[in-house]
Every structure is written in structure tokens, then in C-alpha cells.
Amino acid sequence: MEDTFKLVVPCLLGVEGLVGDELRHMDAQNVEPQNGRVLFDGDAAMLARANLCSRYGERVLVQLGSFRALSFEELFQGVKALPWERWIGKNDAFPVKGSSLNSKLASVPDCQSIIKKAIVERLKQKYHVNWFEETGALYQVQFLLMKDVVSIMIDTSGAGLHKRGYRANATDAPIKETLAAAMAYLSRVRSDGVVVDPFCGSGTILIESALYAMNIAPGLRRHFAAERWEGMGPEIWQREKERAQDLVRRDTGFTCYGYDIDGAAISLTLENAKKAGVISCLRAEKRDITAFRPAGERGNVICNPPYGERLLDLKEAEDIYRTMGTVFAPKQKWSYTIISPDETFEDCYGRKADRRRKLYNGMIKCQIYMYYKS
């Protein structure tokens, strides 16, 4: 395996800058944010570190190469020329998946087949075998065809990085963990601060805020595909896990409060917080939004309120927005960060946001509305 290689972190549209900043903070080299992804250079230790510590990225990929392909023959030869034997052993599994956008080679199944065949032909020559059992470690090959340029990658993460390991169960229409973490960052959550979510659901925003405030690496409680790879031995992962553990701040004084009208959601929030290791700083109870009051000297309200696509009743959603506009009273040292896909949110809420930011919750285009002026 090479000492250093090109790595890629795909991410939700709108958080590329956050991913770039956190990678630089991890000491990644040549960080280059692009549309929906961030490229950087790193070694095996950086590969492990990015998997363990990235709050906003969706997964970590090794980029083997990039080239132009207008025909299946060009695709085949371009893939075959890549150094697959540096990564994939003769017993390892290497399934192929990917996507094609605005490219002449538009058939994804055909591209999958050609890429698989090219890898097999390369490895046949290198290992002098005619058949690959693929019973070993998983090397998930991914390709992206964009405007006739092919990027060929191997996924190091396995399950997406948003799967932190604490949310086995979730309420309807949960917010993605990576997006919740981004909201905590954008809200400038303090290590000694207070975060309140009056629509806490399964507790994702509260838990991600706590992990952020205490600097707990989000990947510490899960495993990654590359842990089984040759050249990515357990000592590398152990070293990076110990590094991440050393950076945890347990004595911060951070507290978060979750409220929801659904008692089952409260139970789920507490259960997930326990799995995430942040139960000591989290309180949750059944309470309606009408009872909310900004108590204390300072705090951040961060929430993903029910909206039309989730409730199937737009009027009910708009009524909730109006109530929020009333109970989320401007108060010095208090801020309110709200995500919604509803273009009429500010009209119902009753005030224009002090700042807005466009982000995606899955495939749903949303706005984050930030209120912090008293």
C-alpha cells in the first residue's frame, strides 16, 4: 500500500466547507472542497482518523484514479491500468456500484459490468489465477461518471459515517446525524453551553450537540470496512482511537434538554443518549411546544420541527411555526436554529431570519433559519 494517497469524503450539499475545515483540523493535506465532496491527501493513519472523527462527511473513499471515457473500451482500459493489486488481495471481495451523470456512458449496469471485468483482468495477470472466490475483506468499488470523466474509488467506511452506532431505532422522519452535527456547529454550541430541542424525536440533535461540545469522535462506537484491510492493521486503528479518546472533554459542564409531545420519543431519546455515552448531560421530558420558555442566562435552541411532508398536514405545520415565533422570544445570549423545507416558514414564524443557509436533509432541500439578535 502507498505511503500516501488521494482520499475523498462525499458530503451533503452545503456542508463542503465544514468538512474541509474539520479535515484541516485533523492535519489532512491538500484539502480541496468540491461540489458535494472534499478531496485531500493522507496516509493509513489519516484514513482511520477521518473515519473516526468526521462529523459532517458521509464516508471516506480512496480515489484510485480519474480519467475521461467516451466508450466502454476507454472505460475498460482506464480501469485496468489502475494499481488494483496494491489494495485488493486474491481472496478479497470487490463488488462494484456507482452512478453516471451527464455522460455518454449512461447505463450504470453496463458500466458496473465493464469495471468489474477490467479489475478481474488486471488481478488475473498479477495473481496468476483464473477465479476469485471473494471471501475475504470487503473492498467496495465505487465509480462516478460526471460529464464523461470517470472517478474510481474504494469505500473505506462500510456503513455510511452518519451511522454512529447509537441510533438503532428512530422516530418518523429523523434528521440525519451528519446534518444534526452541522447544525450544532453552525449554532456555535459551546463546550459549557446549553442546547434545547423542543421537538427532540429520537434525540439526534441533542446527542450530536453533546458529542460536539465534549469533542467525542462520532465513530468511536462503530467499525469500518478498512479495519480488515491488509496494511491497515489493528495497531493503526488502536492508535487513532487512543488519540481521539485523549481529545475528549468530559468536564465541560455542557447540558442539553429535549422535549416532545410523544412519550415514546422521550424514551427513545434517553435510550439513544445512553448508547452514545452522553446520558449524563442530557435531560428529556414530555412537553408541548407551547410550554417552551428560554430559561437561564444563555442557550442554543436547535430543532427540526414537524413539517408538511412529515405531518401530511401543512396547516398543522404552519400553526406550529406560528407558535414557535411566539415562544422563541428574542433574548440576549440565546439563539434559535431551525431547519425547514417550507418556503413560507418566515412568514408563519413572524420574523425574517438573521441568517439563512441552504442545506439538504437527505434529498429534501431545506433552509436553516438562524435567529440570534435580541
Side-chain angles (χ1 to χ4, degrees):
M1 193 179 289
E2 295 177 346
D3 290 335
T4 62
F5 25 84
K6 182 65 71 178
L7 296 164
V8 185
V9 175
C11 55
L12 296 169
L13 290 170
V15 302
E16 297 91 344
L18 277 64
V19 173
D21 287 345
E22 72 171 352
L23 287 169
R24 291 185 193 97
H25 190 66
M26 292 180 212
D27 298 325
Q29 301 299 306
N30 302 319
V31 177
E32 182 189 349
Q34 296 182 352
N35 197 28
R37 65 181 194 165
V38 180
L39 278 64
F40 63 105
D41 294 335
D43 57 8
M46 179 54 64
L47 185 157
R49 187 177 303 173
N51 271 297
L52 287 163
C53 300
S54 180
R55 297 186 191 282
Y56 322 114
E58 295 303 310
R59 55 183 65 248
V60 180
L61 311 172
V62 178
Q63 180 159 299
L64 267 67
S66 184
F67 55 89
R68 188 172 173 82
L70 294 171
S71 68
F72 287 129
E73 180 62 21
E74 287 178 332
L75 178 63
F76 179 88
Q77 295 299 338
V79 172
K80 189 182 175 187
L82 297 174
W84 293 100
E85 65 280 0
R86 294 183 188 174
W87 297 90
I88 302 172
K90 65 180 179 181
N91 296 315
D92 295 331
F94 49 100
V96 177
K97 65 180 180 182
S99 57
S100 177
L101 300 167
N102 303 321
S103 297
K104 188 174 180 182
L105 301 180
S107 170
V108 169
D110 286 339
C111 290
Q112 281 177 291
S113 178
I114 294 292
I115 290 168
K116 181 76 174 187
K117 184 178 178 183
I119 300 170
V120 167
E121 289 304 312
R122 169 89 183 200
L123 294 180
K124 272 185 181 180
Q125 293 174 3
K126 298 297 177 179
Y127 294 130
H128 307 291
V129 296
N130 290 318
W131 179 257
F132 295 94
E133 293 184 1
E134 299 195 48
T135 55
L138 174 65
Y139 290 77
Q140 176 65 64
V141 178
Q142 291 202 10
F143 67 89
L144 173 63
L145 255 162
M146 175 80 79
K147 295 180 180 176
D148 299 318
V149 175
V150 190
S151 295
I152 302 291
M153 299 153 288
I154 302 176
D155 177 21
T156 76
S157 301
L161 294 184
H162 69 281
K163 292 186 181 292
R164 320 289 208 203
Y166 64 76
R167 198 172 79 177
N169 300 305
T171 52
D172 290 341
I175 192 169
K176 208 168 188 180
E177 293 88 338
T178 44
L179 181 53
M183 290 178 71
Y185 173 86
L186 293 171
S187 300
R188 299 185 179 180
V189 167
R190 295 160 53 103
S191 60
D192 61 347
V194 172
V195 167
V196 184
D197 182 357
F199 307 97
C200 66
S202 54
T204 307
I205 288 174
L206 298 172
I207 292 167
E208 291 298 326
S209 295
L211 294 175
Y212 175 81
M214 292 189 280
N215 202 36
I216 299 173
L220 277 174
R221 291 175 177 254
R222 55 160 288 177
H223 291 284
F224 305 92
E227 288 184 66
R228 294 189 61 205
W229 290 7
E230 190 73 30
M232 281 291 300
E235 68 283 351
I236 293 172
W237 292 92
Q238 188 57 37
R239 219 168 31 240
E240 287 303 320
K241 286 177 182 178
E242 288 172 1
R243 175 189 175 275
Q245 291 281 13
D246 289 343
L247 294 171
V248 173
R249 299 188 297 259
R250 287 284 178 190
D251 54 350
T252 60
F254 175 81
T255 313
C256 54
Y257 299 90
Y259 307 115
D260 204 288
I261 57 169
D262 182 0
I266 298 302
S267 299
L268 201 49
T269 291
L270 295 170
E271 179 187 332
N272 290 341
K274 190 172 182 180
K275 287 178 187 169
V278 298
I279 189 66
S280 61
C281 69
L282 188 146
R283 311 284 181 270
E285 64 180 64
K286 187 175 178 179
R287 187 185 295 183
D288 190 86
I289 183 63
T290 55
F292 176 83
R293 298 293 180 273
E297 184 183 341
R298 75 165 66 230
N300 303 96
V301 175
I302 310 174
C303 62
N304 175 31
Y307 51 77
E309 291 180 43
R310 294 160 74 202
L311 281 177
L312 303 178
D313 184 345
L314 194 57
K315 182 184 180 301
E316 192 174 353
E318 290 177 346
D319 287 343
I320 289 173
Y321 298 156
R322 291 187 187 94
T323 301
M324 290 165 61
T326 301
V327 299
F328 290 179
K331 185 177 179 181
Q332 195 169 16
K333 296 183 179 178
W334 275 79
S335 69
Y336 304 92
T337 302
I338 306 148
I339 187 167
S340 174
D342 193 335
E343 296 290 335
T344 68
F345 172 81
E346 288 170 310
D347 294 334
C348 297
Y349 189 83
R351 291 194 301 281
K352 291 287 184 187
D354 298 316
R355 188 179 169 208
R356 285 171 54 162
R357 185 166 180 144
K358 188 189 297 179
L359 288 176
Y360 281 76
N361 186 8
M363 296 303 293
I364 302 171
K365 185 173 74 172
C366 296
Q367 291 278 354
I368 290 183
Y369 301 91
M370 289 173 267
Y371 298 86
Y372 46 82
K373 294 178 181 176
S374 56

